[in-house]
Amino acid sequence: MIKKILIANRGEIALRIIRACKELGIPTVAVYSTADSLSLHVRFADEAVCIGQAKSSASYLKQSQIISVAEITNADAIHPGYGFLAENSEFAQMCEDNHLIFIGPPPKIIKQMGDKAEARATMIKAGVPVIPGTEDVITNIQDAKKMADHITYPVILKAVAGGGGRGMRIVREPGQMEEAFSTAREEARIAFGNPAMYMEKLLEEARHIEVQILGDNYGNIAYLGERECSIQRRHQKLIEESPSPVVDENLREKIGKFAVKAAKAVGYSSAGTVEFLLDKNKNVYFMEMNTRIQVEHPVTEMVTGIDLLKEQINIANGLHLPKWLKKFKLRGHALECRINAEDPYKNFRPSPGKIVAFHAPGGPGTRMDTHVYAGYEIPSSYDSLLGKLITHGKDRAEAISRMERALEETIIEGVSTSIPFHQAILKDPEFRAGNFHIDFLKDFKF
Ligand code: MV4
């Protein structure tokens, strides 16, 4: 059994992991950079060790350093959270090699799902629908043009090593292919050290729907409903919800079964997410699999009543998936607004600085996952997420009105935040009607 967990992360997710560990009675070790010495994850963990300078590459990404801290503090497991080392198969392997439990799937699954072309090929073989596209990696412009003619325009070029929208190019006509192919390859070569590309038919006005799964070490997989994540700006999700306003019982079961099939095809264990695109005609297509706990996991927790972090840790501890998990009942509707320290009136420019006044909202159906407090200085070295406000209601309308009420109650002074932008989206009639797709914010007037 796990005796102590090292948390290889910071911010709100480090706190979320500490909370789960406390409830499970497992002691924790925080690691932190010099920029985070006054952070709450350092205070709330049982032990804390400084691992380097502010820059991520000098601290939260220092693999051997983190392993050493685990050894020195007698931690026997590492929780990577999201971002940083969470989907680094080399790090997961290094944990294994040093007899530490990596709280996530095995390294070979992380690697396999990190290669988006291989993930695609795996899903085709497993019988999970994928977007029409290439079976093989495209290496030259002649093949790219030939494939696009075959698939028919518009198409989308994607980096094999990409994901989350990096290294992607939409190509609407043959004349744009040469330029798009070479710039996408160059971008991928610089960003991932891997220029390999593949191609798909472009799906327009689609929705991003993802399915939460949990798998134990014995081949049991459960799905826990879907999250609607179409409200995003430049591949940064802003508002997530569960259930999706367009997914009914039948579609939920269909997508859920595809997600379980996808997970079984790779022998998945731990918490994970299978991402799908849902087109106008409600056809579903596998897009990617994320081998980590995600930022937006709380909306699923609110509607299922399941503590995903505790279940993820129990799985790492070798427990079987509890029987009741597969019989989950969705209760009501949950929304999450990601609150960032950025100025929506100034093109979302980051707004680091000191928070001089802070008040988190409360009341019925209201949860705020945040690491900030009055007097906290937001470091400029990391992402600008200040916290996540989650509301739960008996239905979508109640979750929305609770969110509006809770955003109004929130006091964050000293920095600009994305709150006014959230308030504008929540007022939008199309949003309120559940009528939107992934390009919703492109022509949203703020
Ligand atoms: C697509 C697509 C349309 N057609 N693939 C974006 C992130 C990465 N997971 C893949 N993405 C997309 N792939 C085809 N064939 C549109 C997107 C996309 C997107 C997907 C989900 C949420 C937001 C998005 C924003 C822009 C593009």
Side-chain angles (χ1 to χ4, degrees), residues 35 79 81-82 134 136 159 242 262 281 307 316 326 336 364 367 378-380 402 415 417 434:
H79 199 304
Y82 54 67
T134 56
D136 296 309
S242 185
N281 304 318
D307 185 319
K326 286 193 182 178
E336 172 180 280
R367 163 177 172 184
I378 302 160
S380 55
R402 284 211 162 123
V415 301
T417 78

Side-chain angles (χ1 to χ4, degrees), residues 40-304:
L40 288 184
H41 75 290
V42 174
R43 277 215 229 170
F44 291 168
D46 298 293
E47 296 168 72
V49 179
C50 183
I51 52 168
Q53 299 297 311
K55 247 175 60 180
S56 300
S57 59
S59 47
Y60 298 105
L61 292 173
K62 280 209 144 188
Q63 304 185 28
S64 55
Q65 189 109 320
I66 292 167
I67 300 274
S68 299
V69 173
E71 286 177 346
I72 290 164
T73 56
N74 285 316
D76 48 7
I78 297 187
H79 199 304
Y82 54 67
F84 295 124
L85 298 169
E87 288 175 286
N88 187 316
S89 60
E90 195 187 297
F91 181 67
Q93 185 62 53
M94 198 189 276
C95 289
E96 230 170 65
D97 294 344
N98 289 280
H99 310 289
L100 295 163
I101 294 173
F102 176 82
I103 302 179
K108 81 166 205 311
I109 296 178
I110 301 175
K111 188 155 185 254
Q112 189 183 2
M113 293 298 102
D115 180 322
K116 304 303 167 189
E118 194 184 340
R120 197 180 135 77
T122 306
M123 295 314 151
I124 293 171
K125 228 167 87 193
V128 178
V130 301
I131 303 162
T134 56
E135 295 273 321
D136 296 309
V137 164
I138 308 165
T139 53
N140 62 70
I141 178 72
Q142 287 76 26
D143 285 354
K145 284 187 163 157
K146 216 185 292 168
M147 285 315 304
D149 285 339
H150 177 71
I151 295 167
T152 74
Y153 288 89
V155 299
I156 186 165
L157 287 166
K158 295 184 177 182
V160 165
R166 292 175 307 165
M168 270 181 20
R169 284 288 184 293
I170 289 170
V171 189
R172 296 200 172 269
E173 46 189 277
Q176 302 173 328
M177 184 60 82
E178 198 138 355
E179 156 98 9
F181 186 70
S182 65
T183 57
R185 259 175 100 73
E186 228 14 73
E187 193 179 303
R189 194 198 310 277
I190 293 162
F192 319 114
N194 177 2
M197 305 299 291
Y198 67 107
M199 187 189 290
E200 287 174 354
K201 174 83 184 159
L202 177 72
L203 291 188
E204 303 198 75
E205 298 181 19
R207 303 173 79 115
H208 174 135
I209 309 275
E210 58 184 36
V211 177
Q212 178 69 50
I213 56 159
L214 282 173
D216 66 17
N217 300 341
Y218 315 99
N220 304 302
I221 311 272
Y223 72 90
L224 296 171
E226 78 285 355
R227 293 186 288 260
E228 163 72 66
C229 303
S230 301
I231 304 293
Q232 52 83 38
R233 184 183 169 274
R234 298 186 178 177
H235 303 293
Q236 292 290 345
K237 294 168 186 164
L238 283 168
I239 301 181
E240 303 98 341
E241 55 186 292
S242 185
S244 164
V246 296
V247 174
D248 61 17
E249 286 278 343
N250 280 332
L251 186 54
R252 176 165 310 114
E253 187 177 328
K254 182 171 148 186
I255 307 178
K257 283 183 170 165
F258 283 145
V260 170
K261 208 178 209 189
K264 288 205 164 147
V266 298
Y268 200 84
S269 64
S270 190
T273 299
V274 187
E275 293 185 354
F276 296 92
L277 279 182
L278 185 72
D279 75 9
K280 277 177 274 194
N281 304 318
K282 298 208 179 174
N283 296 307
V284 277
Y285 304 93
F286 169 86
M287 198 161 49
E288 291 178 17
M289 179 156 184
N290 300 322
T291 57
R292 58 167 192 276
I293 192 80
Q294 289 192 253
V295 176
E296 59 272 27
H297 76 274
V299 292
T300 299
E301 295 189 318
M302 302 304 273
V303 294
T304 60

Side-chain angles (χ1 to χ4, degrees), residues 400-419:
I400 291 175
S401 63
R402 284 211 162 123
M403 183 61 82
E404 292 185 301
R405 186 268 298 160
L407 285 169
E408 233 173 86
E409 263 177 42
T410 307
I411 298 172
I412 302 174
E413 286 172 8
V415 301
S416 303
T417 78
S418 47
I419 288 176

